[in-house]
């Protein structure tokens, strides 16, 4: 699955089976979009939203009407799989679904999209900026969110940057949460224009960190904590401690992305450091 590191599908399945206890709460009741690499990360990939063709009857799905454009199949409804247990997870991963992406809302008891139960801000560095700059900005975002009563949990993305999550009571709609995140992004851009950019214009981003507020739009999805990424190395979207982020902000190169073996060792030692912050149960 990862030719550069000779990581096999068996090792990928083993990772997801061992991480399932900690991953499943972050997927619960959410529609799951997958990115599949049928020939491994050395080959092409594709997004998949609908339930796979030939999926077993026990794999739960929820139908969601499309808005604005048709689904992959050309229909006006997407049948998203909802991962409920290790069997569901294993079936989808066995189809080379390395990356699992979900929105910030969950289905309610009637199968309808609810209000977001978390806010997420994606910190995406433009070269030569990296995790050091992301960590510096993460501390600023944490302070801003604490100022409105939100506790924040950091994740190194497994790609270039980081995500910051904050649990919400679910009483405000996605548009309201999007506007809050955008206001924070604009304020921090004004305060630190040499470090932060809130617009996605590529020409503005070199050497700065995009504070991506748009992940809170209802139609958007974010990589799930504990999901693998489809890079050359099997990096993981890994929950981190604030002590690690603070050290990364002080010292360049102190913070790095974590591979799946690193994450397995951490969860064996510490459990899910993310769950308590977001009031999840494992």
């Amino acid at each position: 699955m990862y030719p550069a590191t000779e990581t096999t599908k068996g090792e990928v399945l083993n990772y997801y089976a061992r991480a399932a206890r900690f991953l499943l709460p972050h997927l619960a009741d959410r529609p799951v979009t997958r990115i599949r690499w049928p020939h491994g990360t050395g080959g092409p990939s594709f997004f998949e939203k609908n339930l796979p063709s030939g999926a077993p009857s026990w794999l739960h799905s929820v139908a969601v009407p499309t808005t604005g454009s048709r689904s992959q199949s050309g229909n006006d409804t997407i049948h998203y799989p909802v991962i409920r247990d290790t069997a569901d997870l294993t079936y989808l991963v066995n189809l080379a679904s390395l990356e699992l992406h979900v929105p910030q809302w969950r289905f309610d008891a009637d199968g309808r999209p609810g209000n977001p139960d978390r806010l997420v801000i994606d910190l995406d560095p433009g070269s030569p900026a990296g995790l050091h700059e992301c960590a510096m900005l993460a501390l600023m975002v944490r302070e801003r969110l604490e100022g409105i009563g939100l506790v924040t949990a950091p994740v190194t993305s497994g790609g270039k940057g980081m995500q910051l999550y904050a649990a919400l009571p679910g009483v405000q709609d996605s548009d309201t949460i999007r506007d809050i995140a955008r206001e924070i992004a604009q304020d921090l851009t004004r305060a630190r224009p040499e470090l932060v950019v809130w617009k996605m214009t590529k020409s503005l981003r070199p050497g700065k960190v995009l504070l991506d507020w748009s992940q809170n739009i209802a139609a958007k999805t974010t990589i799930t904590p504990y999901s693998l990424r489809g890079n050359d190395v099997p990096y993981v979207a890994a929950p981190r401690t604030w002590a690690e982020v603070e050290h990364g902000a002080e010292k360049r190169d102190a913070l790095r992305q974590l591979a799946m073996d690193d994450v397995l060792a951490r969860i064996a030692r510490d459990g899910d450091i993310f769950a308590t912050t977001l009031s999840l149960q494992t």
Side-chain angles (χ1 to χ4, degrees), residues 134-165:
C134 288
M136 294 169 60
L137 179 53
L139 299 179
M140 300 176 204
V141 175
R142 178 180 65 172
E143 182 178 5
R144 285 297 306 268
L145 291 176
E146 285 178 347
I148 57 174
L150 297 179
V151 177
T152 314
V155 172
T156 45
S157 70
K160 296 185 298 180
M162 299 177 62
Q163 287 96 31
L164 304 175
Y165 289 84

Side-chain angles (χ1 to χ4, degrees), residues 130-253:
L131 279 179
H132 173 61
E133 288 77 12
C134 288
M136 294 169 60
L137 179 53
L139 299 179
M140 300 176 204
V141 175
R142 178 180 65 172
E143 182 178 5
R144 285 297 306 268
L145 291 176
E146 285 178 347
I148 57 174
L150 297 179
V151 177
T152 314
V155 172
T156 45
S157 70
K160 296 185 298 180
M162 299 177 62
Q163 287 96 31
L164 304 175
Y165 289 84
L168 299 172
V171 298
Q172 296 170 305
D173 63 20
S174 294
D175 288 349
T176 301
I177 302 305
R178 173 205 63 199
D179 291 346
I180 292 171
R182 181 170 57 193
E183 182 178 352
I184 291 171
Q186 291 171 336
D187 286 349
L188 289 176
T189 298
R190 285 190 288 268
R192 294 292 303 274
E194 81 287 358
L195 175 65
V196 191
V197 59
W198 72 275
K199 292 183 179 180
M200 296 185 187
T201 308
K202 289 187 177 181
S203 62
L204 300 176
R205 294 172 59 179
K208 301 182 182 182
V209 180
L210 171 66
L211 199 161
D212 186 357
W213 48 270
S214 72
Q215 298 291 309
N216 299 283
I217 295 171
K220 287 289 193 77
T221 61
T222 307
I223 189 72
T224 304
Y226 297 108
S227 173
L228 284 168
R229 302 305 300 263
N231 301 319
D232 289 342
V233 175
Y235 287 128
V236 176
R240 309 301 290 264
T241 66
W242 276 112
E244 289 177 295
V245 176
E246 289 164 1
H247 187 44
E250 292 172 358
K251 184 178 179 182
R252 188 173 296 277
D253 301 326

Side-chain angles (χ1 to χ4, degrees), residues 15-32 82-86 88-89 100-107 117-118 165 167 222-227 239 267 271-282:
Y15 166 77
Y16 272 112
R18 293 171 63 185
R21 176 187 170 195
F22 308 99
L23 169 62
L24 290 171
H26 302 286
L27 296 171
D29 300 318
R30 301 185 197 273
V32 182
V82 178
I83 298 176
R84 298 180 295 183
D85 55 29
T86 304
D88 296 347
L89 178 63
L100 309 172
H101 294 247
V102 294
Q104 316 320 324
W105 50 266
R106 299 177 186 267
F107 290 115
D117 65 343
R118 64 189 192 187
Y165 289 84
T222 307
I223 189 72
T224 304
Y226 297 108
S227 173
I267 61 179
D272 185 6
I273 60 174
F274 202 47
T276 301
T277 303
L278 291 189
S279 300
L280 298 174
Q281 300 298 315
T282 61

